[in-house]
């Protein structure tokens, strides 16, 4: 039953990767916490690490099949990508040291704050540079890379939770903001995933079965089997969603995740 649920969530993860730039974090962390509930307080730590590995594959594949004209917006983004990677490594290291309950409730708190931000602060539901505005979109500053990478890797949420709202306020439509979130997520999650896989977990011997480092490979494999075909299909045949509806759907998904993680709290 767990595997069927994970496959189903993988399908959802593939959809959110394309539509919202969520490489897996917001959807997979609550589900892996549930699937690995036998680990007790360590379930969140394993879920974050597993989510990061899923994000690497999903975001990498989504980036590879994204039109080059869309990725051109990151043409001068080398410094941003490097700082995202550095922040991602730091965030992954911090995850190993932090108490599991801190990681869990920080995830809930950050997601709730992000939800409030996109709903209450101007610029997300209708960003600058759209609907008749003559103001062009602008790139993200490179200096945001390190803090975005650190927080995203620490919580296992990927870069989209920070970069999609930021790119919306920089003038990009949701379609472009979600697509550009994938290469940014890849940059921060790759070093984080390497650290999670290479580091021995601080878990009791009796619960190590199925784990490589802090990563639950069984859960990650099931999630990816569900996600990758969906990413390929939706990139080839992208759905046409009105931009405002797209933005409201992003906010709605954040609300669902806040509730799921709050209810599964240790």
């Amino acid at each position: 039953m767990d595997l069927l649920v994970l496959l189903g969530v993988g399908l959802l993860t593939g959809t959110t990767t394309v539509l919202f730039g969520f490489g897996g974090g917001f959807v997979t962390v609550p589900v892996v916490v549930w699937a690995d509930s036998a680990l007790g307080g360590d379930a969140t730590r394993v879920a974050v690490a597993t989510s990061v590995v899923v994000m690497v594959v999903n975001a990498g594949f989504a980036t590879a099949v994204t039109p080059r004209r869309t990725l051109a917006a990151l043409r001068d983004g080398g410094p941003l990508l490097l700082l995202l990677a550095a922040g991602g490594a730091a965030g992954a290291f911090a995850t190993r040291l932090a108490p599991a309950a801190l990681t869990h409730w920080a995830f809930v708190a950050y997601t709730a704050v992000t939800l409030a931000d996109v709903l209450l602060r101007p610029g997300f539901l209708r960003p600058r540079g759209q609907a008749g505005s003559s103001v062009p979109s602008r790139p993200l500053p490179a200096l945001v890379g390190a803090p975005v990478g650190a927080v995203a890797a620490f919580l296992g949420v990927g870069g989209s939770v920070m970069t999609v709202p930021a790119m919306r306020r920089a003038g990009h439509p949701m379609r472009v903001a979600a697509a550009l979130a994938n290469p940014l997520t890849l940059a921060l999650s790759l070093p984080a995933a390497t650290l999670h896989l290479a580091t021995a977990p601080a878990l009791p011997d009796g619960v190590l079965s199925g784990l490589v480092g802090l990563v639950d490979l069984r859960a990650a494999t099931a999630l990816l089997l569900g996600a990758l075909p969906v990413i390929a299909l939706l990139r080839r045949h992208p759905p046409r969603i009105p931009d405002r509806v797209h933005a409201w759907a992003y906010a709605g998904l954040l609300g669902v995740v806040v509730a799921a993680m709050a209810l599964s709290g240790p």
Side-chain angles (χ1 to χ4, degrees), residues 136-188:
S137 60
R138 60 184 189 272
L140 291 180
L143 289 178
V144 306
V148 166
V151 173
F154 178 72
L155 300 180
V157 298
S160 60
V161 61
M162 295 180 173
T163 58
V164 169
M167 285 186 285
R168 287 284 285 172
R169 294 193 171 94
H172 293 291
M174 275 296 297
R175 174 183 54 80
V176 174
L180 294 180
N182 285 307
L184 300 179
T185 295
L186 177 62
L188 72 89

Side-chain angles (χ1 to χ4, degrees), residues 37-252:
S37 59
L39 298 178
D42 290 306
T44 297
R45 186 177 290 114
V46 169
V48 167
T50 304
S51 171
V52 169
V53 170
V54 171
M55 284 190 292
V56 168
V57 181
N58 281 348
F61 184 57
T63 299
V65 296
T66 296
R68 294 296 170 259
R69 63 182 179 275
T70 300
L71 296 177
L74 296 176
R75 182 172 48 247
D76 299 319
L80 173 63
L81 296 175
L82 288 174
L83 288 173
L84 281 168
F93 184 75
T95 300
R96 294 180 52 247
L97 303 177
L102 173 63
T103 305
H104 183 100
W105 290 111
F107 183 106
V108 174
Y110 186 78
T111 310
V113 169
T114 301
L115 175 60
D117 177 71
V118 301
L119 291 176
L120 301 177
R121 191 156 66 97
F124 181 83
L125 296 178
R126 186 179 183 277
R128 64 192 292 279
Q130 290 195 44
S133 171
S134 60
V135 181
S137 60
R138 60 184 189 272
L140 291 180
L143 289 178
V144 306
V148 166
V151 173
F154 178 72
L155 300 180
V157 298
S160 60
V161 61
M162 295 180 173
T163 58
V164 169
M167 285 186 285
R168 287 284 285 172
R169 294 193 171 94
H172 293 291
M174 275 296 297
R175 174 183 54 80
V176 174
L180 294 180
N182 285 307
L184 300 179
T185 295
L186 177 62
L188 72 89
S189 59
L190 186 57
T194 302
L195 185 60
H196 286 314
L197 286 165
T199 305
L203 298 175
D205 291 341
V207 296
L208 291 179
S209 177
L211 300 183
V212 176
L214 281 171
V215 177
D216 183 342
L217 286 187
R218 168 180 158 274
T221 300
L223 289 164
L224 290 170
L225 286 174
L228 295 179
V230 176
I231 294 172
L233 177 63
L234 292 181
R235 279 290 186 237
R236 183 176 294 272
H237 305 287
R240 296 185 178 183
I241 304 173
D243 189 73
R244 190 171 180 82
V245 173
H246 203 163
W248 275 104
Y250 179 99

